[in-house]
Amino acid sequence: MPPRSAPRRARRVRMTGAERREQLIAVARGLFADKGIDGTSVEEIAAVAEVSKPVVYEHFGGKDALYAVVVDREVTTLLDGIGAALAKEGRSREVLEQATLAFLDYIEGHTEGFRILARGSAAGEYATLLGDVASRVEQVLRTEFQRRDLDPRTAQPYAQALVGMVAMTGQWWLDNSRWGRKPDVAAHLVNLAWNGLRGLEARPSLASRP
């Protein structure tokens, strides 16, 4: 009986430059979400991707540049989703509901990206991102305020408050997803926001103000 030949080792498929770049971004995204930029090294990114360190430097020049690419992609993804929701035709409440769901969709579908944006070195980018979202929400509120004979200039702080409320609740929900389903969370957020907006006073003042 002839001797059995040794099993052949599987050939590693050679990636194109574009494929390798995408692989490194995906690997780095997971590590940045788990450990943050300071807790992640180029050596670790290379090891998980099964490449040498020079390959990482060849594609991105270093860890900071790779981190910037990851953050930029996440910002674009979130803004595109919320922007599309706010651009839809419909009543103000429907637009608010769709924008809230879009934000929660991102948190649920891009959990690693959201953790990157909300933590560490990306906190500055996240604050800028929320400000951009608030500016878009402000335009929706201005229309609603004008319809209700309220000063449209006051839409700005309300927009900031609404976006902050959704962002903070979304972050809480990410760590407490057993509390309820995404539509339920969105419904409660819109309930507070809309029913509060419905009863707005034209010239509010503090009851305890001297």
mmCIF file of all heavy atoms in Angstrom, residues 118-136:
data_model
loop_
_atom_site.group_PDB
_atom_site.id
_atom_site.type_symbol
_atom_site.label_atom_id
_atom_site.label_comp_id
_atom_site.label_asym_id
_atom_site.label_seq_id
_atom_site.Cartn_x
_atom_site.Cartn_y
_atom_site.Cartn_z
ATOM 1 N N ALA A 118 -18.263 57.591 20.690
ATOM 2 C CA ALA A 118 -18.698 58.091 21.991
ATOM 3 C C ALA A 118 -17.625 58.020 23.072
ATOM 4 O O ALA A 118 -17.866 58.422 24.203
ATOM 5 C CB ALA A 118 -19.926 57.313 22.457
ATOM 6 N N ARG A 119 -16.453 57.526 22.727
ATOM 7 C CA ARG A 119 -15.445 57.352 23.760
ATOM 8 C C ARG A 119 -14.119 57.983 23.353
ATOM 9 O O ARG A 119 -13.868 58.281 22.202
ATOM 10 C CB ARG A 119 -15.201 55.865 24.043
ATOM 11 C CG ARG A 119 -14.496 55.145 22.900
ATOM 12 C CD ARG A 119 -14.322 53.667 23.156
ATOM 13 N NE ARG A 119 -13.430 53.422 24.280
ATOM 14 C CZ ARG A 119 -13.080 52.194 24.690
ATOM 15 N NH1 ARG A 119 -13.559 51.136 24.073
ATOM 16 N NH2 ARG A 119 -12.262 52.045 25.694
ATOM 17 N N GLY A 120 -13.283 58.182 24.333
ATOM 18 C CA GLY A 120 -11.870 58.502 24.130
ATOM 19 C C GLY A 120 -11.584 59.630 23.177
ATOM 20 O O GLY A 120 -12.209 60.687 23.197
ATOM 21 N N SER A 121 -10.618 59.390 22.303
ATOM 22 C CA SER A 121 -10.111 60.429 21.410
ATOM 23 C C SER A 121 -11.126 60.891 20.384
ATOM 24 O O SER A 121 -10.962 61.959 19.788
ATOM 25 C CB SER A 121 -8.857 59.911 20.683
ATOM 26 O OG SER A 121 -7.844 59.572 21.608
ATOM 27 N N ALA A 122 -12.172 60.092 20.161
ATOM 28 C CA ALA A 122 -13.180 60.486 19.177
ATOM 29 C C ALA A 122 -14.273 61.350 19.781
ATOM 30 O O ALA A 122 -15.196 61.765 19.080
ATOM 31 C CB ALA A 122 -13.812 59.244 18.544
ATOM 32 N N ALA A 123 -14.188 61.632 21.084
ATOM 33 C CA ALA A 123 -15.246 62.395 21.747
ATOM 34 C C ALA A 123 -15.431 63.772 21.107
ATOM 35 O O ALA A 123 -16.550 64.273 20.992
ATOM 36 C CB ALA A 123 -14.938 62.531 23.236
ATOM 37 N N GLY A 124 -14.329 64.387 20.685
ATOM 38 C CA GLY A 124 -14.428 65.697 20.042
ATOM 39 C C GLY A 124 -15.181 65.616 18.732
ATOM 40 O O GLY A 124 -16.037 66.452 18.435
ATOM 41 N N GLU A 125 -14.864 64.576 17.939
ATOM 42 C CA GLU A 125 -15.574 64.373 16.673
ATOM 43 C C GLU A 125 -17.053 64.086 16.920
ATOM 44 O O GLU A 125 -17.925 64.526 16.173
ATOM 45 C CB GLU A 125 -14.951 63.216 15.894
ATOM 46 C CG GLU A 125 -13.584 63.516 15.294
ATOM 47 C CD GLU A 125 -12.459 63.196 16.257
ATOM 48 O OE1 GLU A 125 -12.726 63.058 17.475
ATOM 49 O OE2 GLU A 125 -11.308 63.112 15.797
ATOM 50 N N TYR A 126 -17.334 63.346 17.991
ATOM 51 C CA TYR A 126 -18.719 62.997 18.319
ATOM 52 C C TYR A 126 -19.515 64.246 18.685
ATOM 53 O O TYR A 126 -20.655 64.417 18.260
ATOM 54 C CB TYR A 126 -18.722 62.000 19.472
ATOM 55 C CG TYR A 126 -20.084 61.455 19.835
ATOM 56 C CD1 TYR A 126 -20.903 60.880 18.876
ATOM 57 C CD2 TYR A 126 -20.535 61.502 21.140
ATOM 58 C CE1 TYR A 126 -22.147 60.364 19.202
ATOM 59 C CE2 TYR A 126 -21.773 60.978 21.486
ATOM 60 C CZ TYR A 126 -22.569 60.413 20.514
ATOM 61 O OH TYR A 126 -23.806 59.907 20.851
ATOM 62 N N ALA A 127 -18.911 65.129 19.467
ATOM 63 C CA ALA A 127 -19.590 66.369 19.846
ATOM 64 C C ALA A 127 -19.889 67.214 18.607
ATOM 65 O O ALA A 127 -20.971 67.793 18.472
ATOM 66 C CB ALA A 127 -18.731 67.157 20.834
ATOM 67 N N THR A 128 -18.913 67.284 17.692
ATOM 68 C CA THR A 128 -19.124 68.019 16.446
ATOM 69 C C THR A 128 -20.226 67.375 15.617
ATOM 70 O O THR A 128 -21.072 68.059 15.017
ATOM 71 C CB THR A 128 -17.823 68.055 15.626
ATOM 72 O OG1 THR A 128 -16.790 68.675 16.404
ATOM 73 C CG2 THR A 128 -18.015 68.828 14.325
ATOM 74 N N LEU A 129 -20.236 66.045 15.586
ATOM 75 C CA LEU A 129 -21.258 65.305 14.858
ATOM 76 C C LEU A 129 -22.649 65.598 15.403
ATOM 77 O O LEU A 129 -23.587 65.877 14.651
ATOM 78 C CB LEU A 129 -20.965 63.810 14.956
ATOM 79 C CG LEU A 129 -22.057 62.843 14.496
ATOM 80 C CD1 LEU A 129 -22.276 62.977 12.998
ATOM 81 C CD2 LEU A 129 -21.695 61.418 14.848
ATOM 82 N N LEU A 130 -22.797 65.562 16.726
ATOM 83 C CA LEU A 130 -24.091 65.837 17.335
ATOM 84 C C LEU A 130 -24.532 67.266 17.045
ATOM 85 O O LEU A 130 -25.715 67.538 16.863
ATOM 86 C CB LEU A 130 -24.038 65.589 18.841
ATOM 87 C CG LEU A 130 -23.825 64.141 19.288
ATOM 88 C CD1 LEU A 130 -23.876 64.048 20.812
ATOM 89 C CD2 LEU A 130 -24.854 63.210 18.670
ATOM 90 N N GLY A 131 -23.574 68.179 17.010
ATOM 91 C CA GLY A 131 -23.898 69.555 16.664
ATOM 92 C C GLY A 131 -24.421 69.677 15.249
ATOM 93 O O GLY A 131 -25.355 70.441 14.977
ATOM 94 N N ASP A 132 -23.835 68.905 14.339
ATOM 95 C CA ASP A 132 -24.292 68.903 12.944
ATOM 96 C C ASP A 132 -25.706 68.334 12.851
ATOM 97 O O ASP A 132 -26.573 68.875 12.143
ATOM 98 C CB ASP A 132 -23.333 68.060 12.101
ATOM 99 C CG ASP A 132 -23.517 68.276 10.607
ATOM 100 O OD1 ASP A 132 -24.581 68.770 10.209
ATOM 101 O OD2 ASP A 132 -22.601 67.942 9.839
ATOM 102 N N VAL A 133 -25.954 67.227 13.573
ATOM 103 C CA VAL A 133 -27.290 66.636 13.581
ATOM 104 C C VAL A 133 -28.301 67.620 14.153
ATOM 105 O O VAL A 133 -29.408 67.786 13.629
ATOM 106 C CB VAL A 133 -27.307 65.328 14.399
ATOM 107 C CG1 VAL A 133 -28.729 64.796 14.535
ATOM 108 C CG2 VAL A 133 -26.413 64.279 13.745
ATOM 109 N N ALA A 134 -27.915 68.302 15.234
ATOM 110 C CA ALA A 134 -28.813 69.274 15.859
ATOM 111 C C ALA A 134 -29.161 70.407 14.901
ATOM 112 O O ALA A 134 -30.291 70.908 14.902
ATOM 113 C CB ALA A 134 -28.180 69.828 17.135
ATOM 114 N N SER A 135 -28.208 70.806 14.071
ATOM 115 C CA SER A 135 -28.477 71.861 13.097
ATOM 116 C C SER A 135 -29.539 71.425 12.094
ATOM 117 O O SER A 135 -30.387 72.221 11.675
ATOM 118 C CB SER A 135 -27.187 72.230 12.353
ATOM 119 O OG SER A 135 -26.237 72.801 13.243
ATOM 120 N N ARG A 136 -29.524 70.150 11.727
ATOM 121 C CA ARG A 136 -30.521 69.643 10.787
ATOM 122 C C ARG A 136 -31.887 69.534 11.458
ATOM 123 O O ARG A 136 -32.914 69.842 10.851
ATOM 124 C CB ARG A 136 -30.072 68.288 10.255
ATOM 125 C CG ARG A 136 -28.715 68.332 9.556
ATOM 126 C CD ARG A 136 -28.359 67.018 8.916
ATOM 127 N NE ARG A 136 -26.991 67.027 8.394
ATOM 128 C CZ ARG A 136 -26.540 66.212 7.460
ATOM 129 N NH1 ARG A 136 -27.353 65.315 6.920
ATOM 130 N NH2 ARG A 136 -25.291 66.267 7.047
#
